[in-house]
Structures are given as structure tokens and as C-alpha cells.
Amino acid sequence: MLDWLWVIPALPLAGFVLLVGLRGLPRPVIALIGVGSVGASAALALLAAVRYLSAAGPVVPIRQVLWTWLPLTSFHPTIGLHLDPLSLLMMVVVTFVAFWIHLYSTGYMACDGGYGRFFAYMNLFVGAMLVLVLADNLLLLYLGWEGVGLCSYLLIGFWYTDPANGRAAMKAFIVTRVGDAALAVGLLLLYWHFGTLDIQSIALQAPHVWVSGSGLAIAAAALLLGGAVGKSAQLPLQTWLPDAMAGPTPVSALIHAATMVTAGVYLIARMNAIFELALPVGQVVAVIGAVTLLLAACSALTQTDIKRILAYSTISQIGYMFLALGVGAYSAAMFHFMTHAFFKSLLFLAAGAIILGMHHEQNIFKMGGLWRRMPLTFVTFLAGALSLAALPFVTAGFYSKDLILYETLASQRGSPVLWACGLVGAVLTALYTFRLVFVVFFGPARREPQRGGSARGTAALGCGSFQAQKPEPPAPTHISWTMTLPLVVLAVFAIVAGAVELPKNVYQVTLLSDWLGVVLPAAPQREHLPSLAKVQIIAGAASLAGIVAAWLLYRRFPSAVRVLRLVRPWRQVYRLWQGGWGFDWLYRRLVVEPFVYLARANRRDFIDLFYGAIGESAKLLHAVLSWGQTGKVGWYAACLVIGAIVLITILVLT
Amino acid sequence: MMTRDLLALGPMLITAGGAVVLLLALAVCRSHAFASAWSVLVLAAALAAIPMTWPGAPASGDLLNLLAIDSWALAFWGIIFGSALVVCLLGFEYFRPLAVQAEEFYVLVLLSATGAAVLAAADHFATVFLGLELLSVSLFALAAYRRDQAISIEAGIKYLVLAGTSSALLLFGLALLYFHTASLRLSGLAGPLLAGHPDTIALYAGIALVLVAMGFKLGLAPMHVWTPDVYQGSPAPVSALVGSVSKAGAMAFMVRLAGVTLTGTPGVRNGVFYGLLVLAIASMFTGNLLALRQPNIKRLLAYSSIAHMGYCLLAVLPMAAGAALDRQAVFYYMLAHAVSILGAFGCVCAASENGREAQHVEDYRGLAWRRPVLAGVFSLMLLSLAGIPLTAGFLGKFYVLASGVRNALWLPAVCLVINSGIGLFYYLRVLGTLYQREEAESPDQFATSTAPSALLQPSPQLLLTHLTLAALVVLLIYFGLMPALASLPM
């Protein structure tokens, strides 16, 4: 069954190779390769899902070993794929969302000079993520993991002529690298104790090799967690994500929805066997999730850049997923991953449309009243925003977030404190989301959105022109169907995707947890379960409260915010939140500046003398040996004799 | 001789017969295209015959007195005939624009491949000498093939004199071995060695002299001094032949000899072990250090192959030390080295034009901006020689190193690692040159016809060379990703 599974990751990778290898292709061909490869991959992924789920009998994982790389006596790193409900869900969501983002990009990037380069990197990004998701062993997973990291670097710094973008790309790469180093050490630890990196055999052996709660299990889980917080932008390695907004908007959509940041969530869910043996680390995961979701939500509340608001929102939502993972509710985390992929990609793509419409204006306070001018963008953005704010019973986001909040209370590993954090986070989420909606779409128009070719010239091409002073990417001046169709499709999914898993008191649909239950353990429940309906009502009230608060603050009494910002302690809190709680400042002081200082101070250190001496002695030896290459046959023959003498001497003496 | 003997000899008979037929045909009608096509066909047929013969000859027959056609020999025949095939393909477009008669080139390539094949399967002192001489005589004619160039003739004469000297040493060594063991068969040596004759100086000197002769062919230090001159002077396809076919034959025999000495007294075993150890370490350092600042690309590749043979010996050492044999590692290393060195010289062929070889590293400056695909292929070959992952060269080096580490041969293993570092320097130096942009040229530079930019223009006449290079790239990546051949039983 599904012998062609390898085609799914191979297609985007082939697209990458084609786009890199064949330069100077016309744009329609680039779009066809770039979008077509991911589209075909998405279609095949859906087909694989249908075939896999409609197969008779119990759900069994499919393992497909393509070949063995480096067969050694004790180490057989296979290039193999593993398909079970967990990787199936990831695969389908990744390819599906990525396809719409790619389609959208054909419109968004239509006038960019680096069109082919953009699609090459995007294809590689999707291919690497699919390798990560489908890998049957941790070595291959690590390959995908690093591939994703590389692509994030390439795409965040896509407009590399601006040094700030290059810096943001390096920041993302270096900060996630800290986590990657922990992950690599974790892999070595696992290999050391299990003698294999095969995920399934580690999961099988783990309970026999390590006692629950033993030091090694905790170390391994903590190291894996280190990798996960780096990639998923959780505390304390979350600082790279807001800066990652330097890339083109479709890249942000891809990083936040389908690839990269969800890799950490997937890693923890995939390695749940290790985390189940290290419950203290599970507690840490939950606490990290809870704290991160609160901190990021506060920061989101104070940002003025539309993309940074969404970036902090992603950190916060991933925090919810970590919270769920930490309390053992793996299915709930994956459920929220799925709904989040839909509404967050939608929000970013709609934001991209707004940014294009406002001609690269990203400050929300320079927008306003856009609902009349961009009705379709408004409707779709609203759908995403409602889902993010978890409007009760209507949106997908509500069902997934409600499940996480419920599990936080119901699981033995959860606690009311964690639940309260999640609840406060829900209020804040609704607040910052609708602050965005009200400021951008309602109120007076503060600046006219661009229309048509207008005065900017080059209208015939449908492209805007470069501004002289600031290197600003040229942008299309009208929004084509390739950009609106993805918005509509994703908006529909952002609303209805929750139907795969409904609360028990609403309707008995548990498709997702049934599928995932095969591979993911359910959270151990408390004896006295809290009332489902009560929890739901509280959660629903929380998001409604947030929306109402946003309406009061930003529509009804906008002056209140202005007054509030004049109050001294509040102003300082505001600045703290706006700067992302000062983590950047802290890391600069603690890590970057001492490091730079040491490097400066040690510029001419004596250790270099040693390496310099190696180089110089190599040069010297080169000169000496070259002197032996005389070109004289007599000397050459003498060398033969010298060799004979040396060998005879050795043989006789030993 | 029985039919099955003939069948086992098949691949070698095809090349030998092919050479004779070609020689006769050329007496009647001279045609470059025919000679080239015929030799390619012959070598392809020989390659195709190898799987039919696998896994070797039956356990009896007259044949076995002279040749041991086992899976080891057959695997090396694969390398030898495959490499010769590539050399013929490269040679066609290399010689076409030249004013020399190119037809005999193919006869000589076929003969040298046959010689190397005999050497790889030799189990008798007579066949050892026969194979080695067939190989050497063809090679010095090939090295001097460009009679229009003094340097080519010089290379041929140097090779003639030195190969003659080394043959003399070999013959003397074989005689001393016969004197000690009263056996002319290589595998027959094992009995007398085991029987516990007291070791004599004649035995030690015999083994040492045979090692010297093989070391000469492999270019091991200190018998390496001839390699750069011959590589530089020979036509580029011939340099490729010296780097692949001749080395594969000699290495196959070297491993056989080391395997036989395993049965000897501790004195013999230790002696061979330490002898090979010294040769290996000396070759690694000498080759890499000499290549460090070498401005001529062909000499650089010669030095590089000295170091590579030193690396490869690391996998031969365990068997000399009496530990488990690691024939697979040696085979895979030689395979990977053949692919990479053929590819590298293929790039030299492709970059050359109008009879002038692009020998100087400076000729390649900015190649990536004029012929990006060729520069990419060259980069891949250099990366494989440097042992960078995803190329065949990496896996070859990895297996060799793994074999050394498994047998706790720490000294040569550490030397290999250090030398990989040194080696990286000059491979990257060439790689960097490929991708450097040329400085803006002043107008008077355009006027001179010998400016590097006038050379190296894309040429439609190099179709066959380009296709060959493409095939080598596929092999390089394939062997780098799927080392299925490394687990052949040997």
C-alpha cells in the first residue's frame, strides 16, 4: 500500500532542483514548477490520506525504507519514511496549506526580481518539512530539521540588499541553532543508550531501558525540549520570531502555519515515549507553554506593526500547544496545530494583501476604514481573527482551544493555575486580535490604499516602481485571483475545520482523537472531572470578554487608551511589552556584548600563533619536498632504491 | 582448458582479442571514429561479461595455476574496464582536433587495461610480471603519445626508464621469493611460509622488493617522484588512465600479497605491516604537502592521488596486522577514486581547446561565470576527492577510516584525519579559483590570443566529453548515496 509515498516529499525537492538548475526560465514556467510541485504533492497527500484511512482493519503504520545510507556493523541509518496518523495529519496540513501559500505567492511576488529564487527556496522549505515529518529515524528527521532552519535563513533574508534583513535572518538561524545543538546532543544520548535512532524502536525500547523518572530519561527529554523550544520559538528562545517578519509575507505565513515553528510541537508529540518517562520535563513543557502564551500575548497587545502582532500571536498560540503537550494531551495539541495552521496562514496572507494595498505600510495606526475598500480581505481576515480569538461554537479555533483548556483541568498533570493562565491568555488573544481588526478595518481612513497603477508609473506592467531612497520591493498594484482564492479557501477551513473533533456535550464527533489515539497516548484523567459545559462557558465568555474589551477600548472609547498611555507605570509596562519583555536587551547584554568584547580583546591571541605555525610549517615542508621534485631521472631512480632500502630495513629489523 | 575456464577468462579475452582485431583492422583502414567506437564496444562487452562470470572461476582447472579469477579480481576488472571505457570516450574528442594519428591510442588503452586486469587476477609470478609489463609498456607509449610536444616525450622516457628499473627490482624480488619458498605461485607461498622455514634475509628482501615495485606503480612515497612529471606530460586522458586503471591493478595485487603474508611468521607479518604503515603515512603527508601550493592542475591531481593511495593503504593495514580483512573498503575506495579522478581529468579535457591543455590553475579562474555547468562538475569532483559527504569520495574515505578505527590503528587513522584537513586546503583553493570573478580586463588583453579568457569557451564539439562527465556525476552521486556495491562479497 502507498508505495508511492516517497513521491510526496520528492516533488517539492525536485521542484527546488529544477528551479535552481534551470536559470532564466520565464515566470509562468517558474510558477508552474513552484506551485505545481507543491500542488501535486498536496493532491497526493490527500489521496494517501484517503487510501490510508479507508483501508480495512486496524490502523497500522506504514514503513517504507528507501535505502540504507552507510551500512555499518552497528549503525544503519536508513532513508526511510514512516506514515502513521500523526505524520499523516502533519503531511496533509503542511502540503495543503503550503499549496495555497504558494499559489498566493505567484500574485504577491509577481513583480519581484528574485521570482525563481523565491520559489526554489519555498519548495525546498516544504520538501525539508516533509522529510522532517515523514522520517522514520531521528537522523533523517534532523536532516529535515536543519533543512527547515536553512530555508528560514534564506527566506527571512530574501531581500538581502537591506542589511537589517540579513541580520534578522542570521538572528533566526543562530538562535534556533542553540536549540539545534541541544537536539543534536539529545540524539547522541539516545543513540548511546538505544544503539539506534529509529523512532519506533526507541519508543518500543524506552520503557525497558529507562525507569520512569530516571535521570537519563529526564536529560534526554530536556535536550529534545531544547531543540523544540528553539524551532517553535518558545521561552527562552522566542526572540527570533518577531524579527523573522523581515521576509516576504508569504514566507511568514509558511513559517508560522505549515513549517518550521510547528516542528517543535511535532518533535515532542513524536517522541512522546521519552516524555512519558520524564514527567518533570512534561511539567516544564506545560509551564513554558503557559508563560510563553501570556508573555507573547501581552507583547502582541502593544505592537503597531501588523506582522509583528501576528508573530507574537503565533508564539502565544504555540504556547497553547506546548501547554497541551505538557499536560499529556497530545491530540489536543495536534488539533490546535491544525486549526492554527489554517487561520494563521489566512491571517498572514490577508495581512499581505493589506500591506500590498497600503503599499508596504505595516503600521496599523496608519490604516483604518479598510473594510469598505477591501471587502473580501476584510471578510476573510475577520474569519481568521474570529477563529484566533476563539469565538464560541462557530469557529475552529474555539474547539481546539477549548479542548486544550478542558484537558488542562481534566488531566492529572494539569492544574487550575495552568488553566487560569490559558484563560487569561484567551482574553488577551481576543483583545489583541480585535484591536487589530478594529484599528485596521474600522475608524477613519488615515491613508489611502493604493489603487491601480496610479501615479507610480509602470502601470503597463502591473508593477509598482522602486522608491528612490528606501530599497522597497516592487509590488503588484492589483490583487489577482491567485491571491484571493487562497484567502477564501483558508477562510472556509478556519471556520469549519473544527468539525473533526467536537466537545462531547455538543455532538459525538471524535474523528481526530480516534485517529491520533493509535499513536498518541491520551492524557490520564482526574477522578473528579470538571463539568464540560462549565468550562466551555467560561472559555467562551473569556473570548467574548476580550472582543468586547477591544471594542470598548478601540472603537467606543479610543481616548481611554491614549489616557492610559500617559500614566507613568503603565507607560513603562507598555514599553516593556512592546520590546518583547526585554529579552533582546537581556541577551545582548548577557551573551552578545561579552562575546563581542572577548572576540575583540582576543583578536591577536597567542593561540592563533599555534595555528599560524602549522600553516607556516606546512609551507616550509612543501618547499622542502618540492626541492625533491628535480625532474632528473637519475634522482628518481635513486628514490626507488631508497624505497627498497627503507623497506628491506624495516622488514629485517622487525 | 575447459569451456568454463574460457567463460571465466571471458572479459579479459574480449579486451585482448579486441586489441588484436583493432590492430589488424588499422593495417587495412585507418579511421579514428571506428577505432574509438570499436574500443568502446569491446570494453562495454568486457564489462557486460563480468556479471556473467560472477562470482568467479570453478575451483579447479589449469587456469588456476596462473590466475585467480575470484570475486576480488572480477570486482577490480569492473573498475579497470569501466575506467578504460571512460578514457576512450574522453580520448575521442581530445585527439580529434590534434595533428597526431590517434588510432593506436585505443589499441594501447585496450592493452593496458588487459595488463592491469592480468595483474589484478595474478596468482603466479609469471602472470604478475606479464601483467605489469603489459601495463607499463602500453603506458609509456601512451605517455609519449603527443609527439608534437617535448614534455610528452619526456614523460614517456621517464616512465620507460623508471618502470624498467622497478620491473628489474620486481623480478629480483620474485626470484628471491622463489629461492626461499620454492614456489612460483602466490597462493603457493602460503604453504612454505606456514611450514615454518626460518626466515631468511632473502625472504625479507624479496617481499620488500615486490612491495617497492607495487609502490612504484601506486605512486607511494618515496617511490612517488615520477608521478607529477608523468601526469603533467601525458595527454589528459592518459593521465586519467594512469590514475585509475594502473592504480586499480596494482592495488588489487598489493592486497593479494598482503593477504598471503598473513600466513607468514610474526617477523614477516610485522615487517609487512610496518613497511606498509611507513609507506601509507609518508604518502599521505608527501602527497598533500606537495600539492599545497602547486599551480599546475595536472601535477596537483598527481600529488593528490599519491595521498589517496596512502589513505587507501589504511584499509590494507589491518590484514597485514593479522586482523579481519577489509577488502570491501579497499574496493570501494578505489572505485570512488577512479570515478573522481576520471571526472577531474575529464574536466581538464573539456576545458582544453585547440590542442592546448588548460593545465594551469589560473586557466580556471572564473570558469563558473563562463561555463557554470562544467565548473559545477569540476567542483563536485574536487569535493569528492576532498571527501565531502554525498559524494563517492566521502563514503570511500569513511569506510577506510572506519576500518582503521575498528582495528585500533590509531596512528594512521589520525594521520588520515590530519591529511584530510591539509588536503581540503588545496582542493578549496582550486574551487575558490573556479568561482572567482575575473578582474575587468584591459583592452590589450583581448588582443592576445593566449589570454585565458580566449580559452575555455563553450564548444559544441565536446558533446561526447560532456555526456561522459554527466554519467560520471551520476555515478559519483549514486555511489555517494547508495553504497550497495560496498557490500559485495569478496
Side-chain angles (χ1 to χ4, degrees):
Chain A
M1 194 167 95
L2 295 179
D3 290 332
W4 40 267
L5 186 63
W6 60 272
V7 178
I8 295 172
L11 275 172
L13 293 174
F16 163 73
V17 171
L18 276 180
L19 289 174
V20 165
L22 308 172
R23 275 180 244 170
L25 290 173
R27 285 180 181 236
V29 180
I30 292 175
L32 189 70
I33 295 173
V35 181
S37 62
V38 178
S41 185
L44 286 175
L46 285 174
L47 184 64
V50 171
R51 294 280 281 281
Y52 185 72
L53 295 172
S54 62
V59 180
V60 280
I62 296 176
R63 186 159 182 211
Q64 192 176 21
V65 175
L66 300 177
W67 74 85
T68 304
W69 191 59
L70 288 185
L72 287 173
T73 44
S74 56
F75 187 50
H76 299 273
T78 55
I79 307 290
L81 306 179
H82 179 87
L83 189 72
D84 61 9
L86 176 60
S87 48
L88 183 76
L89 175 72
M90 290 291 293
M91 176 180 82
V92 170
V93 173
V94 166
T95 52
F96 183 78
V97 172
F99 167 66
W100 293 112
I101 295 172
H102 273 70
L103 185 63
Y104 175 92
S105 306
T106 58
Y108 189 86
M109 302 297 287
C111 296
D112 198 279
Y115 199 64
R117 188 163 60 94
F118 181 79
F119 277 103
Y121 294 165
M122 292 284 272
N123 275 7
L124 183 62
F125 211 158
V126 177
M129 188 67 190
L130 287 172
V131 168
L132 193 166
V133 166
L134 289 172
D136 74 337
N137 66 82
L138 288 167
L139 195 68
L140 191 60
L141 183 144
Y142 193 73
L143 176 74
W145 187 271
E146 292 296 322
V148 170
L150 170 71
C151 293
S152 70
Y153 169 79
L154 293 172
L155 283 168
I156 292 169
F158 184 76
W159 286 320
Y160 56 83
T161 45
D162 185 354
N165 294 347
R167 274 197 294 275
M170 270 194 273
K171 185 174 176 186
F173 196 69
I174 293 168
V175 173
T176 53
R177 176 75 9 171
V178 176
D180 294 356
L183 177 63
V185 177
L187 296 196
L188 292 178
L189 183 67
L190 287 175
Y191 178 70
W192 180 31
H193 281 270
F194 293 93
T196 175
L197 283 175
D198 186 75
I199 294 170
Q200 298 309 313
S201 45
I202 288 179
L204 276 179
Q205 288 177 41
H208 309 295
V209 175
W210 283 336
V211 189
S212 178
S214 68
L216 280 167
I218 288 177
L223 288 166
L224 293 179
L225 175 63
V229 295
K231 273 283 184 288
S232 288
Q234 296 294 293
L235 217 63
L237 298 178
Q238 84 287 26
T239 54
W240 64 270
L241 195 62
D243 288 359
M245 294 302 108
T249 309
V251 174
S252 310
L254 198 59
I255 289 181
H256 290 249
T259 58
M260 187 91 178
V261 294
T262 52
V265 179
Y266 173 73
L267 180 73
I268 295 179
R270 178 49 83 201
M271 301 307 293
N272 63 66
I274 301 293
F275 282 87
E276 289 293 310
L277 291 176
L279 293 181
V281 179
Q283 288 296 310
V284 174
V285 175
V287 170
I288 286 179
V291 175
T292 310
L293 80 87
L294 281 179
L295 295 188
C298 292
S299 289
L301 207 51
T302 52
Q303 301 300 314
T304 54
D305 181 324
I306 184 168
K307 285 174 78 179
R308 285 182 84 91
I309 298 174
L310 293 175
Y312 277 110
S313 146
T314 300
I315 300 178
S316 174
Q317 297 302 308
I318 304 271
Y320 275 105
M321 296 180 212
F322 268 61
L323 179 60
L325 292 171
V327 300
Y330 297 101
S331 309
M334 296 317 294
F335 186 28
H336 196 56
F337 150 73
M338 186 184 79
T339 59
H340 176 256
F342 292 129
F343 64 70
K344 189 50 65 68
S345 57
L346 166 65
L347 286 172
F348 265 112
L349 297 186
I354 295 169
I355 292 168
L356 275 195
M358 298 301 293
H359 219 286
H360 287 274
E361 180 54 66
Q362 302 196 2
N363 187 340
I364 57 170
F365 289 104
K366 293 188 178 166
M367 304 170 184
L370 285 183
W371 72 272
R372 224 183 302 240
R373 294 196 170 79
M374 312 177 90
L376 185 78
T377 310
F378 168 63
V379 172
T380 51
F381 193 93
L382 190 64
L386 286 173
S387 199
L388 172 59
L391 189 74
F393 301 112
V394 181
T395 58
F398 169 73
Y399 291 108
S400 58
K401 200 179 282 182
D402 175 57
L403 187 63
I404 290 177
L405 289 176
Y406 176 73
E407 293 279 0
T408 312
L409 270 187
S411 165
Q412 286 176 13
R413 298 176 204 161
S415 71
V417 177
L418 292 174
W419 175 76
C421 288
L423 201 64
V424 173
V427 178
L428 290 173
T429 306
L431 181 59
Y432 70 69
T433 310
F434 275 84
R435 167 179 177 261
L436 181 60
V437 171
F438 288 134
V439 171
V440 170
F441 289 102
F442 294 94
R446 294 172 184 90
R447 187 175 155 184
E448 280 293 303
Q450 295 294 324
R451 288 206 164 267
S454 71
R456 308 205 69 132
T458 60
L461 283 169
C463 296
S465 58
F466 274 106
Q467 269 184 316
Q469 297 95 351
K470 195 173 164 231
E472 183 182 88
T477 44
H478 70 281
I479 290 172
S480 61
W481 67 271
T482 54
M483 291 172 71
T484 49
L485 182 64
L487 293 181
V488 174
V489 172
L490 289 170
V492 172
F493 274 89
I495 298 296
V496 304
V500 294
E501 176 95 18
L502 295 177
K504 291 189 183 70
N505 59 350
V506 175
Y507 195 74
Q508 190 65 29
V509 178
T510 53
L511 289 174
L512 196 73
S513 53
D514 288 348
W515 294 337
L516 292 177
V518 181
V519 279
L520 296 175
Q525 303 281 303
R526 284 174 196 273
E527 283 176 22
H528 303 289
L529 288 176
S531 152
L532 193 54
K534 251 189 236 166
V535 176
Q536 269 166 3
I537 288 167
I538 296 174
S543 46
L544 284 176
I547 297 174
V548 170
W551 182 76
L552 286 175
L553 283 172
Y554 292 94
R555 284 294 293 149
R556 191 74 187 82
F557 307 110
S559 51
V561 181
R562 255 173 273 142
V563 172
L564 206 57
R565 279 169 69 174
L566 294 178
V567 183
R568 205 163 181 290
W570 173 247
R571 209 168 66 200
Q572 277 169 352
V573 170
Y574 184 88
R575 277 179 52 198
L576 180 68
W577 288 3
Q578 194 171 29
W581 294 84
F583 276 97
D584 276 327
W585 176 85
L586 187 69
Y587 289 160
R588 186 169 305 128
R589 278 296 152 85
L590 277 185
V591 183
V592 178
E593 283 178 3
F595 189 81
V596 171
Y597 171 77
L598 280 177
R600 289 244 168 81
N602 208 19
R603 182 170 277 169
R604 295 188 187 183
D605 65 336
F606 65 97
I607 306 230
D608 277 356
L609 289 178
F610 173 67
Y611 294 103
I614 291 183
E616 288 302 319
S617 60
K619 271 196 224 166
L620 189 72
L621 284 169
H622 167 78
V624 171
L625 285 168
S626 302
W627 176 78
Q629 297 297 135
T630 54
K632 303 265 190 298
V633 182
W635 162 242
Y636 286 6
C639 282
L640 275 179
V641 178
I642 292 173
I645 293 170
V646 168
L647 278 179
I648 292 174
T649 316
I650 291 173
L651 272 154
V652 171
L653 288 184
T654 53
Chain B
M1 267 213 195
M2 284 182 285
T3 340
R4 55 184 183 180
D5 291 348
L6 282 176
L7 191 68
L9 268 178
M12 205 197 292
L13 287 181
I14 293 175
T15 54
V20 174
V21 170
L22 182 56
L23 205 54
L24 291 175
L26 289 179
V28 183
C29 137
R30 299 190 68 86
S31 156
H32 187 192
F34 165 74
S36 163
W38 171 257
S39 52
V40 166
L41 269 180
V42 164
L43 287 165
L47 269 181
I50 290 173
M52 294 180 209
T53 318
W54 193 267
S60 71
D62 304 331
L63 191 59
L64 288 180
N65 285 328
L66 293 174
L67 293 168
I69 303 178
D70 46 15
S71 51
W72 176 249
L74 287 174
F76 269 81
W77 286 6
I79 301 182
I80 290 166
F81 294 142
S83 307
L85 179 67
V86 172
V87 169
C88 286
L89 289 172
L90 292 177
F92 181 64
E93 280 165 345
Y94 178 87
F95 283 108
R96 196 169 51 184
L98 298 186
V100 290
Q101 288 188 321
E103 289 82 5
E104 276 77 14
F105 169 78
Y106 301 97
V107 181
L108 291 168
V109 169
L110 286 174
L111 284 176
S112 65
T114 313
V118 170
L119 188 58
D123 190 40
H124 192 278
F125 291 163
T127 39
V128 173
F129 194 70
L130 193 67
L132 197 76
E133 282 304 285
L134 191 52
L135 180 60
S136 301
V137 172
S138 322
L139 279 183
F140 64 67
L142 281 171
Y145 208 85
R146 288 195 65 174
R147 283 166 299 156
D148 53 332
Q149 293 198 333
I151 191 169
S152 181
I153 296 175
E154 183 191 329
I157 290 176
K158 274 182 182 161
Y159 194 73
L160 168 67
V161 172
L162 295 169
T165 315
S166 97
S167 294
L169 292 176
L170 173 73
L171 213 48
F172 189 36
L174 293 177
L176 287 172
L177 281 179
Y178 178 64
F179 168 73
H180 181 79
T181 60
S183 163
L184 281 174
R185 281 191 60 194
L186 193 63
S187 46
L189 280 184
L193 283 178
L194 266 180
H197 291 287
D199 291 345
T200 57
I201 223 151
L203 174 67
Y204 291 142
I207 294 175
L209 290 175
V210 178
L211 284 181
V212 166
M214 289 305 138
F216 168 79
K217 271 272 170 294
L218 289 173
L220 294 172
M223 291 78 78
H224 68 280
V225 276
W226 60 276
T227 44
D229 292 12
V230 171
Y231 274 57
Q232 184 190 2
S234 307
V238 176
S239 311
L241 189 77
V242 178
S244 53
V245 170
S246 148
K247 304 247 146 129
M251 187 57 88
F253 179 73
M254 182 78 119
V255 171
R256 255 183 225 285
L257 182 72
V260 169
T261 53
L262 264 183
T263 57
T265 56
V268 173
R269 280 213 306 265
N270 283 334
V272 172
F273 173 73
Y274 285 109
L276 289 180
L277 183 72
V278 168
L279 291 188
I281 294 177
S283 307
M284 292 183 204
F285 278 104
T286 313
N288 280 323
L289 286 171
L290 278 170
L292 214 53
R293 305 176 77 178
Q294 178 53 244
N296 184 303
I297 197 93
K298 286 170 86 181
R299 289 183 82 89
L300 187 138
L301 288 171
Y303 291 133
S304 140
S305 76
I306 295 173
H308 275 284
M309 291 307 116
Y311 299 152
C312 188
L313 276 192
L314 179 54
V316 185
L317 284 175
M319 56 189 86
L325 302 187
D326 212 337
R327 286 162 176 263
Q328 275 101 344
V330 176
F331 168 70
Y332 209 76
Y333 198 89
M334 295 309 290
L335 180 69
H337 181 256
V339 173
S340 324
I341 203 86
L342 286 169
F345 276 111
C347 290
V348 173
C349 288
S352 308
E353 216 170 56
N354 302 329
R356 181 190 177 281
E357 284 186 0
Q359 288 203 356
H360 210 272
V361 173
E362 284 305 307
D363 292 341
Y364 293 84
R365 183 173 299 279
L367 185 69
W369 307 105
R370 283 163 298 171
R371 297 172 67 176
V373 178
L374 181 63
V377 172
F378 202 14
S379 314
L380 269 179
M381 297 302 162
L382 288 171
L383 290 176
S384 175
L385 286 170
I388 302 296
L390 299 186
T391 60
F394 165 72
L395 278 186
K397 200 179 263 182
F398 181 82
Y399 283 128
V400 163
L401 189 62
S403 134
V405 168
R406 201 163 41 238
N407 295 295
L409 297 168
W410 299 115
L411 178 67
V414 167
C415 286
L416 186 144
V417 173
I418 293 174
N419 276 286
S420 297
I422 303 177
L424 210 53
F425 172 78
Y426 59 85
Y427 295 122
L428 290 184
R429 181 166 63 86
V430 179
L431 243 170
T433 316
L434 287 180
Y435 289 89
Q436 255 166 13
R437 274 201 187 278
E438 281 170 295
E439 295 88 21
E441 287 166 4
S442 51
D444 57 315
Q445 267 180 307
F446 280 109
T448 53
S449 58
T450 50
S453 60
L455 200 77
L456 308 173
Q457 290 302 314
S459 152
Q461 293 118 31
L462 290 175
L463 183 65
L464 196 59
T465 308
H466 288 163
L467 286 178
T468 312
L469 283 176
L472 285 172
V473 165
V474 171
L475 281 180
L476 190 82
I477 302 290
Y478 176 78
F479 289 141
L481 288 177
M482 301 200 198
L485 282 182
S487 40
L488 283 179
M490 281 174 197

